[in-house]
Amino acid sequence: KRKGRKKMRKKVCRVVPSFTAKGGITAVVNGYQNSQLTEDYDVRFIETYCDGNKIKKVAIYLKSMFKYLYALIFWRAEIIHIHSSFGGSFYRKKFFIDFGRLFNCKIVNHIHGSYYDEFYFKASNYKKKMVQKTYEKCNIFIVLNESAEKNLKQIVPDKQVVVIENYGILETSAIHNYKNRNENVVLFLGFVTEKKGCFDMPRISEIVLQEVPDAQFVLGGVGELEKLEKLVNMNHFKFLGWIEGEEKKEWLERAKVFFLPSYSEAMPMSILEAMGYGLPVVASNVGGIPSIVRNNINGFTFIPGDVEGMAAAIIEILKNSKLANKLSENSAKIIAEEYSLKSHIDAVEKLYEVQA
């Protein structure tokens, strides 16, 4: 029976960014490769975006268009799962939505964006109509948290919106070794921008260093680095650039606390990844963050811009090993029990079955 099912596997075309691109969407889709999803379904990945210069970006996009048309005409894809966001991502993915509908495919629009005001509510009437006409062609929408669900339901029918949160992966050895970490490293991973709260870090670090003089703020990311470097004490800040693989693993294993003071988020993979390494988290309480970072259980959340509150939480974690160890254990427990890759894929597959 199992073999028979495999012969009849439904064909799913996944429209994704490059597997080497920077950002949270890439972190999500990388987990799908060689997973249960690719065992249960016949999956083709089409990469539409990459990092680099404009020529490189245009080239991969044009190549993806031809691959997509081939998948529609000759491979006869049945389900199109599009990983999208707002801004340029919306316009890039519009082509895939339009042609997927033209070939009568079931379209799953997996929206990772969080800036609904900029994207829709405060947009021109022309832009709103374009969004509405494009989204009318989608069968179902996946969003990452209840806030996004509430916003999207003002644009599309309620029954078309489903919440499927992102996932984390446990790193057992790192979790067991958390108690042995002796460096006061505060780790940030992501784009270094104002929207990520990075320019609150100078004041936060000043407060922390008064109580924990050996604290080190380590930022792994790209963006407005030079601007931020001028505002902080470089004896206590380390700018790594974008890190991946073994280098990222090394810092996740060295850090005492993960810090994300964003002003807007959906369901940040950086936090879920840090929790998989057993890290306590200090973050803002935006988007889906409060569902994964629970006050005094595995970390602390604050309204964006609350520099005193965030600094006090970081100080408490760095100085109180008993509290830090408790938060660390709970971060790992939450990932294991509620945010595993398996449970995430099960939810996606259930959605496919309903749509197909």
Side-chain angles (χ1 to χ4, degrees):
K1 287 183 178 178
R2 181 68 176 176
K3 289 182 179 179
R5 183 189 173 189
K6 281 196 173 184
K7 289 179 181 178
M8 299 299 292
R9 290 186 305 169
K10 292 184 179 70
K11 295 179 178 180
V12 179
C13 180
R14 277 184 166 259
V15 179
V16 301
S18 165
F19 289 111
T20 60
K22 300 177 181 70
I25 300 179
T26 299
V28 174
V29 300
N30 273 332
Y32 297 137
Q33 295 186 93
N34 304 314
S35 69
Q36 189 62 44
L37 187 73
T38 56
E39 289 289 323
D40 294 339
Y41 293 84
D42 189 359
V43 181
R44 286 193 179 185
F45 294 94
I46 295 181
E47 300 170 68
T48 65
Y49 174 84
C50 66
D51 297 322
N53 58 42
K54 289 184 179 180
I55 294 174
K56 190 175 180 181
K57 289 177 179 178
V58 170
I60 193 172
Y61 186 69
L62 292 175
K63 186 177 179 181
S64 73
M65 293 168 74
F66 285 108
K67 284 185 174 181
Y68 186 59
L69 291 174
Y70 181 90
L72 293 174
I73 298 168
F74 300 106
W75 188 58
R76 297 183 181 276
E78 298 168 82
I79 299 172
I80 311 298
H81 188 144
I82 297 172
H83 289 268
S84 71
S85 187
F86 303 145
S89 177
F90 168 76
Y91 296 102
R92 288 193 299 272
K93 304 302 167 55
K94 188 177 185 303
F95 166 85
F96 297 90
I97 293 171
D98 290 344
F99 274 83
R101 173 53 61 210
L102 189 65
F103 282 83
N104 204 31
C105 297
K106 300 293 184 181
I107 299 175
V108 178
N109 192 346
H110 197 148
I111 300 177
H112 298 258
S114 60
Y115 298 104
Y116 280 87
D117 279 348
E118 294 177 20
F119 172 67
Y120 184 82
F121 296 122
K122 294 182 179 179
S124 67
N125 289 331
Y126 175 81
K127 171 75 176 293
K128 286 181 178 177
K129 287 179 181 178
M130 182 190 298
V131 171
Q132 290 166 357
K133 287 183 178 180
T134 301
Y135 281 5
E136 282 173 3
K137 298 173 184 177
C138 301
N139 296 87
I140 200 77
F141 297 85
I142 298 174
V143 293
L144 309 186
N145 58 67
E146 291 180 359
S147 174
E149 178 187 27
K150 181 180 178 181
N151 283 322
L152 189 58
K153 282 181 176 179
Q154 297 180 60
I155 307 172
V156 302
D158 291 6
K159 64 181 180 180
Q160 289 183 259
V161 184
V162 175
V163 177
I164 299 180
E165 296 172 311
N166 288 337
Y167 60 87
I169 296 175
L170 284 178
E171 298 292 339
T172 308
S173 60
I175 294 164
H176 291 326
N177 290 331
Y178 180 82
K179 294 178 181 179
N180 299 323
R181 301 182 193 187
N182 52 22
E183 296 177 281
N184 285 320
V185 172
V186 180
L187 181 65
F188 167 92
L189 298 174
F191 291 101
V192 179
T193 63
E194 287 191 22
K195 287 182 178 179
K196 290 288 184 182
C198 294
F199 290 91
D200 291 332
M201 289 186 182
R203 179 58 186 145
I204 291 169
S205 63
E206 286 178 7
I207 298 170
V208 171
L209 290 168
Q210 289 174 10
E211 297 290 330
V212 188
D214 64 343
Q216 287 287 326
F217 287 78
V218 177
L219 281 68
V222 295
E224 300 175 83
L225 301 181
E226 291 184 6
K227 182 179 176 182
L228 186 57
E229 285 175 358
K230 296 175 182 178
L231 303 174
V232 300
N233 182 343
M234 288 300 292
N235 292 323
H236 293 275
F237 269 78
K238 186 181 290 289
F239 293 87
L240 305 174
W242 196 267
I243 57 173
E244 296 174 329
E246 287 300 314
E247 185 179 10
K248 181 162 74 169
K249 182 175 183 290
E250 175 192 344
W251 283 105
L252 285 164
E253 290 177 343
R254 288 174 62 176
K256 273 281 188 70
V257 58
F258 188 80
F259 183 39
L260 187 66
S262 288
Y263 282 75
S264 181
E265 288 287 348
M267 175 63 71
M269 284 295 288
S270 60
I271 286 182
L272 289 163
E273 188 171 19
M275 288 170 60
Y277 279 79
L279 285 180
V281 180
V282 175
S284 51
N285 60 357
V286 296
I289 292 177
S291 66
I292 53 177
V293 182
R294 300 160 193 179
N295 282 313
N296 207 34
I297 295 177
N298 70 313
F300 300 94
T301 61
F302 302 87
I303 61 171
D306 183 359
V307 295
E308 288 83 7
M310 292 182 187
I314 292 171
I315 291 167
E316 185 66 18
I317 293 170
L318 296 181
K319 295 181 73 173
N320 186 340
S321 60
K322 184 177 180 181
L323 171 65
N325 292 337
K326 181 195 81 169
L327 301 178
S328 170
E329 291 172 4
N330 287 333
S331 272
K333 185 178 179 182
I334 290 169
I335 293 297
E337 295 181 356
E338 303 176 43
Y339 291 93
S340 69
L341 176 59
K342 182 184 183 305
S343 63
H344 176 88
I345 288 177
D346 286 346
V348 171
E349 291 193 351
K350 183 178 179 181
L351 191 67
Y352 285 175
E353 293 303 314
V354 171
Q355 289 304 308

